[in-house]
Amino acid sequence: MILSNATDISQNSIAIPSKESYRFVRSWSGDGSNGNDGQLNLPHSLAIDRSGNIYVTDTGNDRVEKFSPDGSIVSKWGSEGTGNGQFVQLHDINVSPDGKFVYTVELSNHRIQKFTSNGTFVTKWGYENTGGEGASRRPHQLALDSDGKIYLTDRANSEILVFDGNGKFLTKWGSKGAGVGQFIKPHGIVFNSEDQLYVTDMGNSRVQEFYKNGTFIRMWGSPGQEERGKFSDSIPGIAVDRLDNIYAIDRLQSIIQKFDGNGSFITMWGSKGSANGTMQKPEDLAINSLTGDVYVTDTENSRIQEFRQVNSTE
């Protein structure tokens, strides 16, 4: 691992007063255990393309659902199984920078699948040729850089795995521990506009930032509850907006925290519950780059919620 201008800003990240707030806009679905179109059953992750369409892993129904920005169902694909286009323990989803392809991560089928944006199967691959025992790999989330390369957080081995867009293994980096550039249960992963990579290091209750070659830049966060810049050991989702602000979701506390690109705290919102604007063990979030709205998989409430920044005139 390479260190470059390594910085730990965990103290700075809790020092800036909050001047922003977010309000609830809408939610959709609810209990979708019957599998009806547009409903969701324990949705886990989501991704938003450059047109604002939302792709959701409807994990309890073993399928992907695609929605318009207002929550209207556009299309769906998938069923339970091990065949092409089928899923077991569908966990994460992301969209290529050009919006043409969709990638999914499955835990039980132990693979990545690649689809066109309308759900047509393209290819799939596992982790057998990644320099370790494929069966010991436990990738959880994926992100794509501006060149379309795929980066996976391997939670079991505390590594980042890198593939090209068609599944050819390229490299890996990281190790288990609490030191700079090390991980314990890495999970969420996202790129900013300059191809710098953010990873939620859940077991260490922090976020780490890297260049895409694995060079460490900075980190922030420490264990704690409902405090600025402090996290539980379950921060599965992370997202970046068009200004390169960072959003991290705390599953156990049902809280979203927002930071600037240097890790300085901006604001936080959320609480536990089932009413509008509250959440129950949310797993992931994504930002609409056109509007800045924040979309959240409110997993145990089986719904998607949308939040919007409050202007000073509202």
Side-chain angles (χ1 to χ4, degrees):
M1 182 200 62
I2 308 169
L3 304 183
S4 175
N5 299 320
T7 308
D8 180 349
I9 59 169
S10 56
Q11 297 303 314
N12 294 339
S13 66
I14 62 173
I16 298 177
S18 172
K19 295 182 179 180
E20 292 185 5
S21 61
Y22 282 75
R23 64 176 176 85
F24 170 81
V25 177
R26 64 169 66 88
S27 68
W28 69 89
S29 186
D31 180 17
S33 57
N34 56 15
N36 289 341
D37 289 357
Q39 292 190 323
L40 298 166
N41 184 18
L42 300 175
H44 192 279
S45 296
L46 76 169
I48 301 177
D49 66 21
R50 59 185 184 179
S51 298
N53 297 305
I54 305 154
Y55 298 79
V56 180
T57 60
D58 185 12
T59 303
N61 289 315
D62 300 296
R63 66 184 180 183
V64 172
E65 290 199 290
K66 179 180 178 180
F67 298 89
S68 65
D70 66 0
S72 301
I73 183 70
V74 175
S75 63
K76 63 182 176 66
W77 69 88
S79 60
E80 183 179 4
T82 60
N84 295 343
Q86 293 185 308
F87 306 108
V88 180
Q89 275 193 290
L90 178 58
H91 194 79
D92 193 35
I93 192 165
N94 217 322
V95 184
S96 62
D98 59 12
K100 293 181 179 180
F101 298 105
V102 176
Y103 297 85
T104 60
V105 178
E106 297 167 79
L107 300 185
S108 287
N109 281 336
H110 213 62
R111 65 186 181 184
I112 306 299
Q113 293 195 71
K114 179 180 180 179
F115 303 88
T116 64
S117 61
N118 63 6
T120 301
F121 174 81
V122 177
T123 190
K124 64 185 177 184
W125 66 90
Y127 318 118
E128 294 80 10
N129 300 313
T130 58
E133 292 293 330
S136 74
R137 297 288 184 193
R138 192 74 170 168
H140 272 63
Q141 287 202 4
L142 63 91
L144 291 93
D145 67 15
S146 60
D147 297 322
K149 291 193 291 292
I150 297 165
Y151 295 68
L152 285 165
T153 51
D154 179 6
R155 178 167 164 171
N157 294 279
S158 299
E159 291 180 326
I160 307 299
L161 308 179
V162 187
F163 299 84
D164 71 14
N166 292 310
K168 179 183 177 182
F169 177 67
L170 300 175
T171 190
K172 63 180 180 178
W173 44 270
S175 61
K176 186 174 183 178
V180 169
Q182 293 184 311
F183 307 107
I184 298 177
K185 298 192 297 184
H187 199 290
I189 186 167
V190 70
F191 279 97
N192 68 9
S193 65
E194 298 184 355
D195 266 356
Q196 293 161 348
L197 181 65
Y198 298 86
V199 178
T200 61
D201 182 12
M202 296 206 306
N204 289 314
S205 300
R206 65 188 182 186
V207 174
Q208 296 198 63
E209 181 184 358
F210 303 87
Y211 294 109
K212 63 181 181 179
N213 66 355
T215 301
F216 173 82
I217 300 174
R218 63 173 61 86
M219 61 185 176
W220 69 89
S222 59
Q225 295 186 3
E226 299 182 4
E227 294 183 60
R228 299 173 177 182
K230 294 184 179 293
F231 304 108
S232 74
D233 63 356
S234 185
I235 39 175
I238 190 166
V240 174
D241 67 20
R242 58 191 170 187
L243 300 178
D244 284 341
N245 296 308
I246 313 300
Y247 302 71
I249 197 159
D250 192 312
R251 177 177 178 269
L252 298 184
Q253 300 183 72
S254 295
I255 285 174
I256 297 166
Q257 294 198 53
K258 179 179 178 180
F259 305 87
D260 69 16
N262 295 317
S264 295
F265 176 85
I266 295 176
T267 192
M268 62 192 298
W269 76 93
S271 60
K272 297 178 182 178
S274 58
N276 290 340
T278 65
M279 298 168 279
Q280 193 64 32
K281 294 187 176 178
E283 290 280 354
D284 200 16
L285 75 170
I287 316 299
N288 184 322
S289 62
L290 301 175
T291 65
D293 288 357
V294 180
Y295 293 78
V296 178
T297 51
D298 183 7
T299 301
E300 293 203 353
N301 285 322
S302 288
R303 65 186 178 184
I304 305 300
Q305 294 203 66
E306 179 184 356
F307 297 90
R308 183 169 297 157
Q309 186 175 340
V310 177
N311 297 321
S312 59
T313 57
E314 291 189 47

